[in-house]
Amino acid sequence: MLLKNSAVLFSAQVLSRFIRFLYLLILAHLLGPQEVGLFLYGIALYLSLLVVAEFGQHVFLSRRLGKTTIAVIPILRNSLTIVAVSTLLACAGLALFIVLSEPPDTLWIVMSFVGALGARALASWVRFAFIAVEDPGWIPRVELAFRGLELILGSLLLLSGGGLVAICLVHCLAWMAEAVFALSRVARRFPRVLHLGGQARYLRLVTAESSVFLVSAAAMMAFSQLAVLLLRHIQDDLAFVGQFGIAMQFLTVMLILPMAIGAAFLPRLSRAYLRGDGGSDLVIGAKLLGSVAVLIGILAAGYGPAIIERVLGEAYAPTADTFGRLSWAFMPYALAVFVGQSLNVIDRRYAAATVALLMVVTQGGLLLGLFPLLGEAAIVLSILIGSLVGMALSLRVVHRQIPFSDTTWPLKLLATTALAYTVLHSGYFAPWLLPLVALSVAVALIAALGVLNSHDLQALRRIVRQSLPVTR
């Protein structure tokens, strides 16, 4: 079931990111960097508050519904009640911030994202509910339908002379349509779940528990959006915001693997940890994910910039260059995301929130302090160091909670990354061959250093066998 759900959620992320990637290409060609910058700023703004609206329910539902098969409807009703209230508050706060911060010529463009925030929060909650009960099979089809609808309508409007206002409106309407569909689906599966309300005492308990998850999720989301938000206000070039925002979009596309695995892993880890046999699986999964992330990062840094510049054109050469440098941060970033998600279900949710907050504080402080001196290099440096801080601290928590013999494997992965990237930028081979040489060096070094030992490989085979469907 774990393998199946991971594959389903991974395919949903791939579909979503692929369609958004195509849509972003269309926007980049038809709108230009400045308008794309404003669009990406609006999205970053409401995504930063989306986790406030969701109020940590993705982790709460995974923990509660992962532990029980009874009382599902009362748990969902109370959860939805909290989400409805937090969504209203988040939308009101976003609208107020936009009114106070945006000039008249962009006010209503950015204001359209308030509607997208409310609709997306409700649609996301439905997904959380179905993931928690391990029934996410319908999600990829919905991603294809509604993200595809947005792409088609937005493209047609642009080709017929529409502008950024129309694109923002289509984005909002697409999420509203999905929210209506999702709520009708959850109502059919769990009758009366949409009847808001619940016991006040239980709601207070849910709110208290979810608040910690909220802090953790909000900080992790802020980490991915913070640079775009700050750049909008610490310098005046919207085109620069657009260039960096597109590069950051490419980096987050690469995160679909750890995010999908983490989302499917949480319910299983919750049950396994209660039985006392889930901790080692978490460490082994982190090792595997870190090793794969090193290899993906090398390929992204080696081939990504050339592909981006070829697809988007010479006007987006800064985007390509920025993405190549951001790829350095992928491995620690991926591990910080994956392990940070898992901390919430091994009774270390306060540690997860603290680590995520420290990541954001590190990134924001370095960016604000170094940007006047280093310019764009300060952005990449702040994300890299913030990711390293998150990776190191979250793994330290895991190592203290789940004792095991080898505590040096993260350093081995960092050494592998450094050597591979040195080879990648050495210039000793043809440009098209260098990434493959660096990749080969990384694979050989991971094997030679024993990042994944024989016990880890046996455990991985066991996890896969347990996850495969039983055939008779």
Side-chain angles (χ1 to χ4, degrees), residues 454-470:
S454 58
H455 175 267
D456 297 334
L457 295 175
Q458 290 175 0
L460 285 172
R461 286 193 290 268
R462 171 181 55 80
I463 293 171
V464 170
R465 284 197 302 269
Q466 292 175 351
S467 302
L468 289 174
V470 178

Side-chain angles (χ1 to χ4, degrees), residues 136-202:
W138 58 277
I139 294 177
R141 298 191 298 272
V142 171
E143 276 292 329
L144 179 62
F146 289 100
R147 302 295 77 73
L149 176 66
E150 182 180 356
L151 182 148
I152 293 171
L153 291 179
S155 301
L156 289 176
L157 283 171
L158 281 177
L159 292 173
S160 62
L164 183 59
V165 175
I167 296 304
C168 295
L169 183 61
V170 167
H171 181 77
C172 177
L173 292 177
W175 277 108
M176 287 182 173
E178 181 175 339
V180 172
F181 171 84
L183 290 172
S184 64
R185 186 180 186 94
V186 78
R188 291 194 302 270
R189 172 70 186 275
F190 304 105
R192 300 189 63 190
V193 76
L194 299 185
H195 295 188
L196 299 181
Q199 297 178 348
R201 183 169 176 268
Y202 186 76

Side-chain angles (χ1 to χ4, degrees), residues 250 298-310 319-321 323-324 327 435:
F250 280 99
I298 292 169
L299 292 175
Y303 294 117
I307 294 173
I308 292 172
E309 189 169 352
R310 179 175 293 272
T319 296
D321 181 63
F323 173 73
S327 299

Side-chain angles (χ1 to χ4, degrees), residues 212 214-220 222-223 226 350-364 389-390 393:
V212 184
L214 165 64
V215 173
S216 179
M220 289 304 295
F223 187 82
L226 184 61
Y350 291 101
T354 302
V355 170
L357 284 172
L358 288 174
M359 287 177 64
V360 174
V361 171
T362 301
Q363 181 198 13
V389 167
L393 293 179

